[in-house]
Amino acid sequence: SLWLKSNALTGALPAELANATSLSSLDFGDNILDSKLPPQWGSSLDRLFYLKLGPNEIEGTLPVEWKGLSSLSVLDLEGNNLDGNLPAEYGLLTKLSSLYLESNKFQGSLPAEYGGLVNLENFFVYNNLLSGTISTQLSSLTKLENFWFHANDLTGSVNDIFCLIPTVGNFRADCRSEEAGVPPQITCNCCTSCCTRNGTNCINVAA
């Protein structure tokens, strides 16, 4: 394990860590790192089960090569400057139980392929630039307990996608209308917290 969180570290993430093939846990969270994510890690760190890189100032897109991080249980990239589309290939990371992508600048849709993350329990994508509707393939996430997807441009109903999941515990979406007669961005009868457009004015509701 290598934990260097909260050390005011600056500069780049070392691509050379790809040589640490026995690494199981890596935490660079709460620093001031401002490089891109090293794609090289995806080719050799197949024993890594915990990876925390947020918050920092990391920029760029998510490397498709990270689909090779096949042992990952926790991937935490929250609070960076990451952008671009979410790679569909991350749907192959079937051991993921927690995926934290909130407070970045990700665009595009939530990939339908993430329905393959059948062990996912915690999924946070709020405060990004995601758009479109949510694929019905995400109904395969039957272990999902906590899902925050507010403060995006996502639209449509998720009732037939998530509201039949028995483990639903804490779901937050832009499911609150701003004024009478104006429908909310998201229809979600099982959400425990509803926000107005762009994730503001959130209130707890009866799920």
Side-chain angles (χ1 to χ4, degrees):
S1 298
L2 180 60
W3 286 41
L4 294 171
K5 62 180 180 180
S6 304
N7 277 294
L9 297 176
T10 60
L13 291 165
E16 293 80 6
L17 278 177
N19 297 321
T21 56
S22 296
L23 195 63
S24 61
S25 178
L26 180 60
D27 190 342
F28 277 109
D30 196 20
N31 283 294
I32 321 172
L33 300 168
D34 59 2
S35 65
K36 295 184 178 181
L37 299 172
Q40 296 91 335
W41 292 3
S43 63
S44 57
L45 299 183
D46 56 357
R47 297 184 183 182
L48 192 66
F49 69 83
Y50 180 91
L51 178 56
K52 178 174 173 57
L53 298 176
N56 274 288
E57 298 178 6
I58 300 168
E59 58 186 12
T61 59
L62 297 181
V64 173
E65 291 85 352
W66 280 20
K67 67 181 180 181
L69 301 175
S70 56
S71 294
L72 269 186
S73 176
V74 176
L75 177 58
D76 186 345
L77 300 173
E78 61 96 7
N80 281 291
N81 295 316
L82 295 164
D83 57 20
N85 294 336
L86 300 178
E89 292 84 355
Y90 284 24
L92 299 171
L93 300 174
T94 56
K95 293 184 180 180
L96 273 178
S97 64
S98 298
L99 180 57
Y100 303 101
L101 301 174
E102 70 268 24
S103 299
N104 281 286
K105 301 174 184 178
F106 293 120
Q107 305 165 6
S109 63
L110 276 176
E113 290 82 359
Y114 286 15
L117 301 176
V118 293
N119 290 303
L120 200 61
E121 299 175 0
N122 304 295
F123 191 15
F124 291 78
V125 293
Y126 65 89
N127 194 24
N128 277 291
L129 303 171
L130 299 172
S131 59
T133 58
I134 295 179
S135 170
T136 56
Q137 292 188 42
L138 269 66
S139 63
S140 299
L141 304 181
T142 56
K143 295 184 179 180
L144 198 60
E145 298 178 9
N146 302 294
F147 182 33
W148 286 23
F149 56 111
H150 60 289
N152 283 290
D153 290 320
L154 297 165
T155 59
S157 174
V158 298
N159 288 339
D160 294 334
I161 302 173
F162 298 119
C163 292
L164 301 178
I165 297 176
T167 56
V168 170
N170 190 349
F171 276 32
R172 175 176 284 193
D174 295 329
C175 48
R176 183 183 179 194
S177 179
E178 293 187 87
E179 57 183 278
V182 178
Q185 284 182 232
I186 295 286
T187 301
C188 179
N189 293 340
C190 57
C191 282
T192 52
S193 181
C194 281
C195 311
T196 54
R197 186 174 295 272
N198 298 321
T200 58
N201 301 314
C202 301
I203 60 170
N204 293 328
V205 297

